[in-house]
Amino acid sequence: MLEGPSCLVLRNLPSSCEQESNWIYNTFRVVELSNNKSHLEVKDEPRSRKSFTSTESQKKEETMKFNDESEPTGKISSTSLIHQIGRDNSINCLLHCSRSDYGSISSLNKSFRYLIRSGELYRLRRQMGIIEHWVYFSCNLLEWEAFDPITNRWMRLPRMTSNECFMCSDKESLAVGTELLVLGKEITSHVIYKYSILTNSWSFGMNMNFPRCLFGSASIGEIAIIAGGCDSNGNILSSAELYNSENGNWITLPSMNKARKMCSGVFMDGKFYVLGGIGAENAKSLTCGEVYDLNMGSWRLIPNMFPQRSGGGRAGELPIVAEAPPLVAVVNNELYEADHAEKELRKYNKERNLWVSVGRLPERAVSMNGWGLAFRACGDRLIVIGGPRTLGGGIIELNSWTPAEDLPKWEVLARKHSGSFVYNCAVMGC
């Protein structure tokens, strides 16, 4: 899954200066002490360098080795990791490594591989508040890429294997826990494809209790909530479900007050919000929002939370179904919207229940009535993914801004030649 040389380097993760010095030492010792035959020094071991730089062959080779070897059962003993410092200290070292290094570490031996692929490290990281956010997006059908904004590293996921019906259907995506879910429809039914960062592979996920498309969704930690959407017969739904990535189960939640499709969802202040969309009664845009309180287990309607735009330009002249769902994201419990028609960034005022313009969107990020443009939260910053349309190809750009008192100043994190239309996008924090 890694492209380019890989080395173990401590990232800017939450810790004190003294702890960082200890983790730097222990991180390098993870590699040094785990190889009983020789030290892992790239300059002395050209074969090791080859195994880290050959991306596709490394994926296949590591998967084959893992499948062929017998997996450890039960609790891993301290001697199977780094016996000089014990199991707990070994795990503490790994917790403070960047997740981009886990692929290299898992190749040390089957004990490290089992530990990383078991998901235990990610569960512990979540408990300790150690989170790295990666951006996953698809600019070509059935092909996904990931971008690590810490190392500015691009990674290509294995290609999805599905039929043409799924490839051409409406697809939704969300990242939850250590999984990337892509939901769509095959010939006769809805289907969920699940990518796991633990195994770097795709598999089928468990279907929802009420399969749907064109819904609003958001995730927090190991859970995600989806609400609204359409069923196989085109009926607009008010039902909602919660997905737990730890066990792969879907739980039916109370239904919303209003059925809606083509809506958007976010988590804010520990609650799940649904905004916009098209209603079932008169096929018009809904200006109300709804919030679900996970502790109370109930929905509350918020009138006029997402009013129709005034002066929307060309968007107002198009059929309502031609416009993309609201492009919204939450950073530090503040809600933002990318107004694609006016190329404007707006912020939601919770106390006054209104939207305030805070600046402009990146000029080169274009869309087709909102489609093809990704607007997401990535940790403490907002990102806009898109690019200019050109004949024979295009350029995709990742723009970033950390909300502050100043006007938005978008920084180009990365760009590459690719399709400039973003079909799906999700941000995974783990």
Side-chain angles (χ1 to χ4, degrees), residues 65-183:
K65 285 183 179 179
F66 182 73
N67 290 337
D68 291 341
E69 295 176 358
S70 59
E71 298 181 6
T73 56
K75 186 177 181 180
I76 302 174
S77 66
S78 61
T79 57
S80 61
L81 295 176
I82 308 175
H83 64 276
Q84 288 92 337
I85 61 176
R87 182 178 186 272
D88 290 342
N89 286 330
S90 299
I91 291 178
N92 282 333
C93 290
L94 296 174
L95 290 176
H96 288 77
C97 289
S98 170
R99 53 181 279 208
S100 63
D101 293 320
Y102 283 176
S104 302
I105 296 173
S106 67
S107 66
L108 293 174
N109 59 46
K110 65 182 180 181
S111 296
F112 280 102
R113 188 180 305 117
Y114 177 79
L115 176 63
I116 290 174
R117 295 195 177 196
S118 69
E120 179 180 357
L121 288 179
Y122 290 102
R123 286 189 289 271
L124 293 174
R125 283 165 65 99
R126 192 182 307 129
Q127 294 174 9
M128 297 176 63
I130 301 175
I131 300 176
E132 294 176 66
H133 294 88
W134 287 13
V135 185
Y136 294 78
F137 60 93
S138 173
C139 293
N140 297 291
L141 296 175
L142 304 183
E143 296 180 4
W144 281 81
E145 291 189 83
F147 179 75
D148 177 5
I150 298 177
T151 62
N152 289 337
R153 179 180 296 173
W154 296 89
M155 287 147 282
R156 182 169 296 173
L157 276 58
R159 181 181 172 87
M160 299 180 66
T161 56
S162 65
N163 58 37
E164 292 186 3
C165 184
F166 178 85
M167 181 176 68
C168 299
S169 68
D170 289 318
K171 290 182 285 294
E172 313 290 338
S173 63
L174 64 151
V176 50
T178 57
E179 299 174 351
L180 170 66
L181 304 184
V182 182
L183 305 91

Side-chain angles (χ1 to χ4, degrees), residues 297-318:
S298 59
W299 292 91
R300 177 173 62 86
L301 200 67
I302 306 177
N304 207 37
M305 183 181 184
F306 196 76
Q308 294 183 357
R309 303 183 186 96
S310 59
R314 289 175 298 176
E317 302 172 3
L318 295 170

Side-chain angles (χ1 to χ4, degrees), residues 48-346:
S48 296
R49 179 169 65 247
K50 181 178 180 181
S51 67
F52 286 122
T53 57
S54 179
T55 306
E56 295 300 325
S57 61
Q58 178 188 350
K59 294 177 187 175
K60 297 178 181 178
E61 185 177 343
E62 287 185 359
T63 302
M64 290 175 62
K65 285 183 179 179
F66 182 73
N67 290 337
D68 291 341
E69 295 176 358
S70 59
E71 298 181 6
T73 56
K75 186 177 181 180
I76 302 174
S77 66
S78 61
T79 57
S80 61
L81 295 176
I82 308 175
H83 64 276
Q84 288 92 337
I85 61 176
R87 182 178 186 272
D88 290 342
N89 286 330
S90 299
I91 291 178
N92 282 333
C93 290
L94 296 174
L95 290 176
H96 288 77
C97 289
S98 170
R99 53 181 279 208
S100 63
D101 293 320
Y102 283 176
S104 302
I105 296 173
S106 67
S107 66
L108 293 174
N109 59 46
K110 65 182 180 181
S111 296
F112 280 102
R113 188 180 305 117
Y114 177 79
L115 176 63
I116 290 174
R117 295 195 177 196
S118 69
E120 179 180 357
L121 288 179
Y122 290 102
R123 286 189 289 271
L124 293 174
R125 283 165 65 99
R126 192 182 307 129
Q127 294 174 9
M128 297 176 63
I130 301 175
I131 300 176
E132 294 176 66
H133 294 88
W134 287 13
V135 185
Y136 294 78
F137 60 93
S138 173
C139 293
N140 297 291
L141 296 175
L142 304 183
E143 296 180 4
W144 281 81
E145 291 189 83
F147 179 75
D148 177 5
I150 298 177
T151 62
N152 289 337
R153 179 180 296 173
W154 296 89
M155 287 147 282
R156 182 169 296 173
L157 276 58
R159 181 181 172 87
M160 299 180 66
T161 56
S162 65
N163 58 37
E164 292 186 3
C165 184
F166 178 85
M167 181 176 68
C168 299
S169 68
D170 289 318
K171 290 182 285 294
E172 313 290 338
S173 63
L174 64 151
V176 50
T178 57
E179 299 174 351
L180 170 66
L181 304 184
V182 182
L183 305 91
K185 187 176 182 180
E186 292 195 334
I187 299 175
T188 58
S189 62
H190 290 87
V191 65
I192 299 176
Y193 283 87
K194 177 176 67 175
Y195 170 78
S196 171
I197 66 172
L198 305 179
T199 60
N200 187 34
S201 62
W202 292 93
S203 62
F204 285 107
M206 184 178 297
N207 274 331
M208 286 180 272
N209 298 314
F210 300 96
R212 67 195 72 198
C213 63
L214 301 177
F215 51 81
S217 66
S219 64
I220 181 170
E222 73 279 9
I223 68 167
I225 294 179
I226 61 97
C230 287
D231 63 15
S232 299
N233 298 319
N235 299 313
I236 300 179
L237 306 175
S238 62
S239 59
E241 299 189 36
L242 181 147
Y243 175 73
N244 189 323
S245 63
E246 293 293 309
N247 53 33
N249 291 332
W250 292 91
I251 301 173
T252 301
L253 300 178
S255 294
M256 296 184 293
N257 293 284
K258 288 185 175 293
R260 62 181 77 204
K261 67 175 181 178
M262 299 179 68
C263 49
S264 296
V266 295
F267 271 99
M268 182 168 58
D269 299 321
K271 301 176 182 179
F272 176 71
Y273 288 78
V274 177
L275 295 84
I278 301 175
E281 299 175 358
N282 50 18
K284 291 185 178 181
S285 294
L286 294 175
T287 61
C288 62
E290 296 200 38
V291 56
Y292 179 75
D293 189 320
L294 280 75
N295 295 323
M296 300 295 294
S298 59
W299 292 91
R300 177 173 62 86
L301 200 67
I302 306 177
N304 207 37
M305 183 181 184
F306 196 76
Q308 294 183 357
R309 303 183 186 96
S310 59
R314 289 175 298 176
E317 302 172 3
L318 295 170
I320 188 61
V321 294
E323 191 170 2
L327 299 173
V328 291
V330 171
V331 170
N332 296 326
N333 286 318
E334 297 290 347
L335 177 60
Y336 295 86
E337 186 223 358
D339 186 340
H340 62 85
E342 297 294 327
K343 294 188 72 71
E344 188 177 58
L345 178 67
R346 303 194 299 168

Side-chain angles (χ1 to χ4, degrees), residues 348-404:
Y348 179 66
N349 187 312
K350 304 175 191 176
E351 289 73 22
R352 301 174 61 188
N353 191 31
L354 56 81
W355 293 87
V356 179
S357 175
V358 294
R360 303 289 296 171
L361 294 175
E363 290 299 327
R364 287 168 58 87
V366 300
S367 70
M368 298 175 61
N369 307 316
W371 302 104
L373 181 69
F375 179 67
R376 295 288 187 273
C378 185
D380 62 352
R381 52 185 162 183
L382 293 168
I383 58 170
V384 175
I385 306 178
R389 307 281 190 271
T390 58
L391 294 176
I395 297 176
I396 193 74
E397 292 183 346
L398 280 77
N399 299 272
S400 167
W401 174 62
T402 301

